[in-house]
Amino acid sequence: MLKGIDAVIGAELIYALMLMGHGDELVLCDVNHPAQTIAKHTTFGRLIDISGCKLSRAAEGILKLFPLDTFVEAPVKRMQVVGDPERQMPVFAEMQKLVDRAEDRPIQMEALDRFAFYEAAKQSFAIVRTSDPGPYGCFILKKGVV
């Protein structure tokens, strides 16, 4: 255990976060996301699994260490509801509050359809899967600089 680092941040996750540079993206997802399959395509190349952790709890811990990119319009992407792209799920508002609070400013979130989200996830640096049951708890965070 290290002082000042949230207990939800394990060794593998802190290692991945430290390797990431400005503009790299981190996928934070629920248990329903095909994370293992997609993780093979990422820069990190393997899944970071945070078993027993809800998505909001993981986001809270990560966002204490992870600055969001200020050079893009929407540094957070989320998955749209299939068949109803305008529908708002509770997890969308929950994550919006977390990123706004972490950055101390309103953060724009871009919605992607399911398959566009999967393709974007493959281009990310790493995938962090939580035990959150979802649904639609799938987000991509673009790293900024401090």
Side-chain angles (χ1 to χ4, degrees), residues 5 15 30-31 40 44 68 70 81 87 93 100 103-104 108 111 125 137-138 143 145:
I5 297 177
Y15 177 64
D30 63 31
V31 75
K40 291 185 271 186
F44 198 63
L68 293 176
T70 57
V81 176
R87 184 171 174 199
D100 289 354
E103 292 292 308
D104 197 28
Q108 187 169 332
F125 186 89
C138 301
K143 189 175 184 189
V145 293

Side-chain angles (χ1 to χ4, degrees), residues 53-115:
C53 187
K54 300 256 316 167
L55 187 111
S56 58
R57 178 72 181 91
E60 188 176 53
I62 290 167
L63 289 166
K64 288 178 187 173
L65 304 172
F66 190 98
L68 293 176
D69 197 333
T70 57
F71 297 118
V72 296
E73 193 173 315
V76 179
K77 296 177 179 124
R78 66 164 175 82
M79 188 183 294
Q80 292 175 345
V81 176
V82 175
D84 192 358
E86 299 305 315
R87 184 171 174 199
Q88 295 295 305
M89 303 298 287
V91 70
F92 300 164
E94 187 175 17
M95 184 61 100
Q96 187 70 61
K97 275 194 232 178
L98 287 168
V99 296
D100 289 354
R101 187 175 6 158
E103 292 292 308
D104 197 28
R105 63 187 172 92
I107 298 297
Q108 187 169 332
M109 229 182 257
E110 179 184 353
L112 301 175
D113 74 39
R114 177 182 169 200
F115 294 108

